[in-house]
Amino acid sequence: DAGVIQSPRHEVTEMGQEVTLRCKPISGHDYLFWYRQTMMRGLELLIYFNNNVPIDDSGMPEDRFSAKMPNASFSTLKIQPSEPRDSAVYFCASSNRGNYEQYFGPGTRLTVT
Amino acid sequence: SQQGEEDPQALSIQEGENATMNCSYKTSINNLQWYRQNSGRGLVHLILIRSNEREKHSGRLRVTLDTSKKSSSLLITASRAADTASYFCATPDSWGKLQFGAGTQVVVTP
């Protein structure tokens, strides 16, 4: 298995632009998680899905952030409009059991100027 | 506040030495997990210990769990330069969400 796939790996954009991050979980995993990692705040869970349904989005910072999972093999995290404080590494992870080991993708490093 | 908190925040050792880091948590758990993150990479699951286990081994890793003290330790024996990374403990809440600590940065020098 190729593991969790994220794209793009790096994204540089200007403030106000829309950013879309993509994730393909491991086949057969029915949990998908989006995290954000910064030096200041560490690793934060933004939202997670079970069987393509959003279960908890309490970590989504504000309405500028949205996430979708249209099918079992694809999820997006969208930021519109982006702001410099959104600069971070965004990770997607998947799991086949909710509270057991998670498999992380390589991350997307987002820089908003 | 974070559920798991690692100690120390940073650790510097020489190759061949053992590295020990600790994790404390606040609420009851059914398992505790340790992850490693190399610079610029995603987290990698290392080991999971269930609440009814006291010790677990995996290669050069040894994890202990003391539920009475709500603490866990990760020991890396005979460290190598390749062990240089950040190490995180994580515990699931009642909804299955993993709560990660701030991590311990380990540097192993040749």
Side-chain angles (χ1 to χ4, degrees):
Chain A
D1 199 318
V4 175
I5 299 172
Q6 291 188 247
S7 65
R9 293 294 310 278
H10 302 273
E11 177 81 33
V12 180
T13 191
E14 292 184 346
M15 183 173 62
Q17 297 298 306
E18 177 180 296
V19 175
T20 299
L21 312 181
R22 298 174 177 80
C23 175
K24 177 179 168 54
I26 292 172
S27 178
H29 284 190
D30 51 10
Y31 285 86
L32 184 139
F33 306 82
W34 282 101
Y35 292 90
R36 177 172 69 177
Q37 187 177 39
T38 62
M39 289 293 291
M40 290 295 293
R41 301 175 68 90
L43 195 63
E44 303 173 279
L45 177 65
L46 301 178
I47 185 171
Y48 80 96
F49 296 82
N50 179 217
N51 291 321
N52 313 338
V53 176
I55 303 300
D56 186 342
D57 65 355
S58 60
M60 296 285 262
E62 46 198 277
D63 292 345
R64 298 183 298 106
F65 286 69
S66 63
K68 293 182 180 179
M69 192 165 186
N71 58 62
S73 59
F74 184 66
S75 177
T76 60
L77 178 67
K78 186 175 292 186
I79 308 172
Q80 165 63 19
S82 58
E83 297 182 1
R85 59 191 168 126
D86 302 330
S87 296
V89 181
Y90 290 81
F91 290 103
C92 175
S94 70
S95 172
N96 59 3
R97 294 184 292 178
N99 58 357
Y100 288 84
E101 58 266 29
Q102 295 182 15
Y103 296 82
F104 281 73
T108 295
R109 181 172 296 277
L110 173 65
T111 303
V112 183
T113 60
Chain B
S1 62
Q2 292 170 326
Q3 162 77 317
E5 295 187 6
E6 293 90 346
D7 168 60
Q9 290 186 336
L11 184 59
S12 184
I13 57 175
Q14 290 192 321
E15 266 191 328
E17 294 181 338
N18 295 342
T20 300
M21 60 210 85
N22 303 296
C23 170
S24 60
Y25 58 92
K26 296 183 175 67
T27 60
S28 298
I29 59 172
N30 64 9
N31 71 70
L32 184 143
Q33 303 172 36
W34 285 92
Y35 288 77
R36 183 188 72 228
Q37 183 179 31
N38 292 90
S39 180
R41 304 285 187 91
L43 279 73
V44 174
H45 181 264
L46 293 176
I47 195 166
L48 179 153
I49 186 166
R50 299 175 192 272
S51 59
N52 61 354
E53 298 175 309
R54 292 297 168 258
E55 187 171 314
K56 197 165 184 179
H57 296 255
S58 177
R60 293 183 296 111
L61 305 180
R62 173 179 169 253
V63 170
T64 63
L65 180 64
D66 187 335
T67 53
S68 66
K69 295 181 180 179
K70 291 187 169 59
S71 69
S72 173
S73 68
L74 170 67
L75 168 68
I76 305 172
T77 60
S79 62
R80 305 167 182 170
D83 295 327
T84 294
S86 292
Y87 293 82
F88 297 86
C89 68
T91 53
D93 66 12
S94 57
W95 296 100
K97 295 188 302 184
L98 282 183
Q99 306 287 324
F100 286 87
T104 293
Q105 291 187 358
V106 175
V107 175
V108 182
T109 54

